Amino acid sequence: MPLALITGISGQDGSYLAEFLLDKGYEVLGLIRHTSHGYHERIRHLLDRIQLVKADLTDFPSLLRIIEKYKPDEVYNLAGQTFVPVSWEQPILTGDVNALGVTRLLEAIRIAHPKARFYQASTSEMFGKVREIPQNENTPFYPRSPYGVSKVYAHWITVNYRESYGLFAVSGILFNHESPRRGRQFVTRKVTYAVARIKYGLQKELRLGNLDAKRDWGYTGDYVRAMWLMLQQDEPEDFVIGTGEAHSVRELCEVAFSYVGLDYRDYVVVDPKFFRPAEVDILLADPSKAKRKLGWEPTVSFEELIHMMVDADLERVRREIETGVPTRV
Ligand code: G4F
């Protein structure tokens, strides 16, 4: 059985990837932080099939010990501070975890188990103030937040360890990917959860920031398959993963509200509190290399994705009302 180590296993991507790898017959080891809140809602259903180990991307010896002890065949680095607005409030923490954390992990692999294949969760946020539309693997980066800057460092250190030491290290440049397990602070879940609460009469309005921002939104279940495919290639290479379709936050609202028979204009209020110091106006992927070389294509459309998320939130809110217990994810 191949062994995969996933950092950030309790997050959205980690939980989908763990399911995917278990189905493929992998043994899955999940790295969690000692200070973790202890809620593992997204992986609760997997806890008897995976092993959790404690380490921290800011603590090199803990990473080294785990790589030395388990010698995983594949390492997926999905951990990090992933919410863009927080990166202006905590730029140093964001850099320590998202940027230097990757160097610590790569060093642990280089020293203790250089045969491991390494996946780095890179992001379309690196394109920031985009230099061209759509963005592909050769589009120059222009990050617009401390988060984006930290991810550019992480991308290049991954490339550097591949070129300096011959590690099988790849960077997956993933565009926004969503699911019913997406955190509620991200705009898709913020909208779909609010739609469900409004439908049940628990909320009267939804306060949002920039409705004109456009993103290339895909389904996380499709994106974790791309991560795995990248590590199965003969040669380590970087790939852009996205749908090739962009929609605005306004369109997201239209699709989500109209699905339950409501008009978003009656509920959405623009609140400058949610504007960012520097915005990324449009992200749109050109995923043709992934299609050609990995045979990867998305299977869920934008509308299907938003409907899936609204359905899941309607069910969650119904349960919350029935039991009186708020859900955590
Ligand atoms: O959902 P978001 O917070 O995602 P964002 O900033 O694009 O980042 C996500 O995708 C990246 C990949 O491109 C990842 F690297 C990153 O970790 C994360 O997963 O915001 C999307 C857009 C932004 O333009 C934002 O300004 O929605 C706009 N927006 C408008 N009102 C809002 C809101 N975003 C949030 N979170 N909350 C609002 O009220």
Side-chain angles (χ1 to χ4, degrees):
M1 257 193 198
L3 174 65
L5 171 67
I6 304 176
T7 75
I9 193 164
S10 59
Q12 172 191 243
D13 292 15
S15 69
Y16 277 92
L17 180 64
E19 278 169 7
F20 177 87
L21 293 175
L22 287 169
D23 283 352
K24 287 239 168 272
Y26 278 70
E27 212 176 309
V28 173
L29 196 59
L31 194 147
I32 51 166
R33 279 180 299 149
H34 187 61
T35 51
S36 251
H37 37 59
Y39 313 145
H40 300 307
E41 298 298 322
R42 296 183 180 87
I43 51 169
R44 188 174 296 285
H45 61 298
L46 303 175
L47 287 178
D48 56 346
R49 299 169 65 203
I50 60 180
Q51 191 184 343
L52 297 179
V53 286
K54 291 205 168 146
D56 197 307
L57 285 182
T58 60
D59 183 62
F60 174 69
S62 65
L63 298 171
L64 184 62
R65 265 198 307 277
I66 283 171
I67 300 290
E68 252 170 2
K69 178 169 176 191
Y70 294 97
K71 298 200 171 7
D73 300 292
E74 296 175 7
V75 177
Y76 295 87
N77 183 36
L78 311 184
Q81 193 302 92
T82 63
F83 191 43
V84 174
V86 164
S87 75
W88 278 284
E89 287 162 24
Q90 301 185 346
I92 295 169
L93 174 85
T94 301
D96 197 3
V97 176
N98 292 5
L100 285 182
V102 181
T103 312
R104 295 186 188 100
L105 191 50
L106 284 165
E107 269 295 273
I109 291 171
R110 182 183 72 79
I111 293 166
H113 187 48
K115 276 202 294 209
R117 293 188 166 208
F118 177 77
Y119 174 86
Q120 167 58 18
S122 289
T123 158
S124 49
E125 273 292 305
M126 300 190 301
F127 297 123
K129 191 170 179 179
V130 296
R131 306 286 87 191
E132 61 182 350
I133 299 174
Q135 297 88 46
N136 63 36
E137 292 77 5
N138 299 316
T139 303
F141 300 137
Y142 192 143
R144 291 276 276 171
S145 61
Y147 170 81
V149 173
S150 72
K151 286 294 200 172
V152 171
Y153 174 99
H155 168 83
W156 282 115
I157 200 71
T158 302
V159 173
N160 184 261
Y161 269 58
R162 176 168 81 216
E163 294 178 354
S164 301
Y165 303 114
L167 296 191
F168 193 112
V170 305
S171 166
I173 305 173
L174 271 50
F175 282 60
N176 297 50
H177 42 285
E178 320 292 313
S179 75
R181 294 183 207 159
R182 185 60 143 150
R184 281 182 205 162
Q185 70 272 42
F186 297 96
V187 76
T188 51
R189 251 328 277 303
K190 187 171 171 183
V191 170
T192 61
Y193 189 60
V195 162
R197 286 178 53 84
I198 289 169
K199 188 70 188 166
Y200 277 105
L202 299 177
Q203 191 172 321
K204 288 200 166 14
E205 63 173 27
L206 167 61
R207 303 187 86 81
L208 292 174
N210 179 9
L211 301 187
D212 297 317
K214 289 189 169 168
R215 290 291 183 276
D216 180 330
W217 279 295
Y219 172 54
T220 303
D222 283 334
Y223 288 48
V224 298
R225 189 173 73 254
M227 296 176 188
W228 176 77
L229 282 168
M230 285 180 221
L231 293 196
Q232 313 314 309
Q233 302 306 298
D234 292 337
E235 297 297 328
E237 278 185 68
D238 307 326
F239 289 90
V240 155
I241 301 294
T243 68
E245 243 185 62
H247 298 272
S248 65
V249 173
R250 192 185 308 280
E251 284 172 75
L252 159 68
C253 293
E254 272 168 14
V255 172
F257 278 84
S258 65
Y259 185 53
V260 297
L262 301 175
D263 185 335
Y264 81 95
R265 288 170 296 190
D266 296 334
Y267 303 94
V268 171
V269 176
V270 172
D271 185 339
K273 186 172 91 186
F274 296 107
F275 291 165
R276 298 177 178 186
E279 177 62 285
V280 170
D281 297 321
I282 176 164
L283 292 174
L284 174 62
D286 167 6
S288 48
K289 180 181 173 191
K291 187 173 178 188
R292 198 172 64 249
K293 291 200 160 176
L294 304 176
W296 180 86
E297 278 189 84
T299 65
V300 177
S301 73
F302 174 66
E303 281 78 13
E304 286 167 344
L305 172 63
I306 302 309
H307 292 172
M308 176 203 301
M309 293 173 70
V310 172
D311 281 336
D313 278 328
L314 285 168
E315 173 55 21
R316 269 198 196 97
V317 172
R318 191 194 60 73
R319 240 183 304 132
E320 284 176 4
I321 294 170
E322 201 175 273
T323 61
V325 182
T327 52
R328 287 208 187 97
V329 173

